[in-house]
Amino acid sequence: MSPRLTTVLFASWLTLAAAQAAQREADCPPAVVGVSDLGYSSYLDGGAIRGSNIDVLDEVQKRSGCKLEVRWLPRSRLYALFFNHELQMTGAALRTPERDRYGTWLPYTYTHFELVLLNQHAGKFRSLAEFVERSNARLNITRGISYAPQVQVQLDRLQQLGRLEYVNDYSVVFRKIQAGRADGTFAPPTIHMLMQRQFGMGDKLSALTVAESPRAMVGLYVSHKVPAAALQRYADALRTIVADGTMQKLYERYLGVDTARRLFHDGTRDILDALPPPR
């Protein structure tokens, strides 16, 4: 092959590669992802943002080829920015009708909210309703969390009884429990396990499952303003993360094998069925 032909072919390859890169960016422009204080899902470690949700976003970026910029925000502000189209994506979200108006929900894992109480208040409550009726313990929970309707009914009852207070984040919740100004909270293992470790309260608290809070799916919300091609890439990336077992391994890293297995005890078929089909 002559040097001239080699030069022409190399120039053509560069042109094609540049065109393909430009097309990828047009299909999947850089996106800003909002995350907040959610225990092992997303937390600040010095100046770094860490957690299972951050690891998932890293995998989505690698597998989709789409650039994601993660931004730390207060939970109460995150959805205000998402609804105002200032964020293209949110991490670790339960599905709600309000959020569906602004974005497409892509599930990738499970959560299970538990009633977490100081040991002296941790009776054998099978439901939140029993806790409301048979205890005087006070709960603190955070603003910006969406609860199942049957859970919210009981939380509203607690608030009317003066036994529930909303605060800004889970760090405040556990500081108040530690200081004796609250007796417990309502949170998933991803949150309360990290908080118990950080506050040295692992032997002082008990976590109870309650009837009103069955296992639920958690996902990313992708703004309706994001191109359809990018949405599909995100969905395809999440599908592979769930299907190849990466998601469960990430949870095992943060929560331990036993807790992760309880969350994924009957497989991931409902998550895979809820994602857009691959193309």
Side-chain angles (χ1 to χ4, degrees):
M1 185 181 295
S2 70
R4 176 179 173 77
L5 180 57
T6 300
T7 301
V8 170
L9 290 175
F10 183 66
S12 298
W13 178 84
L14 287 176
T15 301
L16 177 60
Q20 290 174 336
Q23 185 60 51
R24 280 197 301 272
E25 181 150 336
D27 290 343
C28 200
V32 178
V33 188
V35 301
S36 60
D37 177 24
L38 282 176
Y40 279 120
S41 180
S42 50
Y43 63 96
L44 288 177
D45 181 10
I49 307 173
R50 304 193 190 281
S52 59
N53 185 40
I54 308 307
D55 293 347
V56 169
L57 292 169
D58 287 343
E59 284 292 325
V60 169
Q61 182 169 247
K62 285 189 287 188
R63 300 188 191 203
S64 68
C66 304
K67 185 177 180 181
L68 303 178
E69 177 193 337
V70 177
R71 187 176 298 172
W72 183 266
L73 295 164
R75 189 76 178 174
S76 57
R77 187 163 174 250
L78 190 154
Y79 280 98
L81 293 176
F82 184 71
F83 296 159
N84 201 37
H85 309 299
E86 295 179 50
L87 298 174
Q88 286 74 55
M89 191 184 298
T90 74
L94 294 169
R95 189 175 190 180
T96 72
E98 180 183 26
R99 294 168 185 173
D100 282 349
R101 291 200 293 271
Y102 297 90
T104 301
W105 185 69
L106 302 177
Y108 63 85
T109 191
Y110 300 105
T111 192
H112 190 180
F113 276 75
E114 297 173 326
L115 179 61
V116 182
L117 295 169
L118 288 166
N119 291 336
Q120 61 265 37
H121 296 287
K124 295 181 180 179
F125 305 115
R126 293 170 298 177
S127 67
L128 275 176
E130 282 190 4
F131 169 71
V132 173
E133 293 158 7
R134 293 171 39 202
S135 173
N136 293 318
R138 304 155 298 160
L139 299 186
N140 270 210
I141 59 176
T142 67
R143 299 180 181 90
I145 300 289
S146 176
Y147 300 101
Q150 58 269 36
V151 169
Q152 192 62 56
V153 166
Q154 301 306 324
L155 295 179
D156 290 344
R157 290 179 66 195
L158 281 173
Q159 191 170 28
Q160 291 167 6
L161 292 168
R163 293 169 49 202
L164 180 75
E165 183 180 350
Y166 288 89
V167 297
N168 287 335
D169 58 55
Y170 280 101
S171 294
V172 175
V173 169
F174 278 80
R175 278 198 296 272
K176 291 184 67 178
I177 294 173
Q178 193 174 52
R181 295 168 57 199
D183 303 312
T185 188
F186 192 64
T190 47
I191 292 175
H192 69 71
M193 289 178 70
L194 175 62
M195 293 290 104
Q196 288 185 57
R197 179 177 67 81
Q198 290 182 339
F199 285 84
M201 301 183 71
D203 60 346
K204 299 177 181 177
L205 293 162
S206 300
L208 309 171
T209 58
V210 290
E212 295 91 345
S213 182
R215 188 182 71 166
M217 289 187 284
V218 172
L220 305 175
Y221 261 104
V222 181
S223 171
H224 289 322
K225 298 291 185 179
V226 167
L231 176 67
Q232 188 65 50
R233 287 195 187 192
Y234 299 147
D236 291 345
L238 286 171
R239 178 178 294 279
T240 64
I241 293 166
V242 173
D244 70 9
T246 298
M247 177 55 61
Q248 184 168 338
K249 290 176 183 176
L250 290 177
Y251 267 58
E252 288 175 2
R253 179 188 306 169
Y254 291 97
L255 302 181
V257 172
D258 290 344
T259 300
R261 284 180 178 171
R262 284 199 300 272
L263 284 174
F264 291 87
H265 70 276
D266 59 356
T268 57
R269 176 49 52 192
D270 50 350
I271 293 177
L272 296 174
D273 288 346
L275 287 166
R279 292 183 184 174

